Amino acid sequence: MKQPWYQQPITTVTTYTDLMTLFQELGLQEQDTCLVHTSLSAFGFIPGGEQTLIAALKAGLAKGNIAMPAQSSDLSDPHEWINPPVQTAHQDQVMAALPGFDRQLTPCHLIGALPEYFRSLPGTQRSGHPTCSMTAWGVQAQHICETTTYDLPFGAQGPLQKLYDLNAKVLFLGTDFETGTAIHLAESTLPRPVFEERAPIQTAGQKQWVSFKMVELEPYDDFNEMGAQFMAAKPESVRQAAIGNDRTALAFSMRDLVDFAREYYRQRDLAEGLN
């Protein structure tokens, strides 16, 4: 029987010094803005775990900004849930019991340990969308997280556009394009059909349900196919380095990725008659 992960011997260690060397190999500068996606397990064992990795990121980007997704998609209408579905008899019960979104209190779910740790730290800002928020730390963190509408949270009025305008880099630390939240900016700025979703928010001690507009997003398993074509077309944009357990870290221009993805999906949408 395979041992649980916490009982398995430590064979690969990544220290704070190793992380700082990695960031240099990826070409990061202290004034850069980075949208970060991380698989902690890809590093093997990091003494200090999330605390050490965030400390290294803050040191490496001391005059710039760090951003991470802080999605809470479980704060949504349970009548629409698919993974998992809610039995009809319990849908109203779940809907009534869900807490309203709160920037300080609502945790991130289903996107890993590091985004939740980052969200909880003093000095981290968070945007106000109930299901698709973004967190940021750094010189322009408040600007990145300022939003004026719930509509199209990944679109031109949201934090992703601000990161694009800041010429941010996307940083994959052991992850791949399936985690690429930046790609949603490309999708959300195409002329796709718009539909409405609902989510609860907490305002002045009261919960209320708000509606907002969304566009149809691609399944995540398509992102790697698009990402492979992006890397082949824009090799000069991508820096790579080996990490931990035979995994790879990538750093590249968010603008290059979004521009490539927008044209890639525009052509696909034309072929499928979506625009």
Side-chain angles (χ1 to χ4, degrees), residues 14-25 43 46 49 52-54 56-57 173 243:
T14 302
T15 66
Y16 177 93
T17 301
D18 295 329
L19 291 168
M20 297 303 292
T21 300
L22 170 66
F23 299 155
Q24 291 178 353
E25 292 176 3
F43 289 95
I46 302 177
T52 297
L53 182 48
I54 291 297
L57 283 167
L173 298 177
I243 60 173

Side-chain angles (χ1 to χ4, degrees), residues 68-78 81 98-103 106-111 126-135 147 149-154 159 181 184 195-202 208-214 217 220:
M68 292 188 196
Q71 295 162 14
S72 47
S73 58
D74 49 327
L75 292 187
S76 57
D77 188 342
W81 288 3
L98 281 173
F101 173 79
D102 183 291
R103 292 189 195 213
T106 299
C108 316
H109 286 152
L110 308 176
I111 55 174
R126 188 180 194 178
S127 65
H129 198 276
T131 64
C132 304
S133 64
M134 182 75 67
T135 50
T147 52
T149 178
Y150 295 128
D151 289 337
L152 302 178
F154 297 122
T181 304
H184 292 327
F195 61 93
E196 285 198 349
E197 292 188 352
R198 294 196 298 165
I201 61 170
Q202 196 76 12
Q208 61 175 313
W209 284 81
V210 296
S211 297
F212 53 92
K213 296 176 181 178
M214 291 285 289
L217 302 175
Y220 284 97

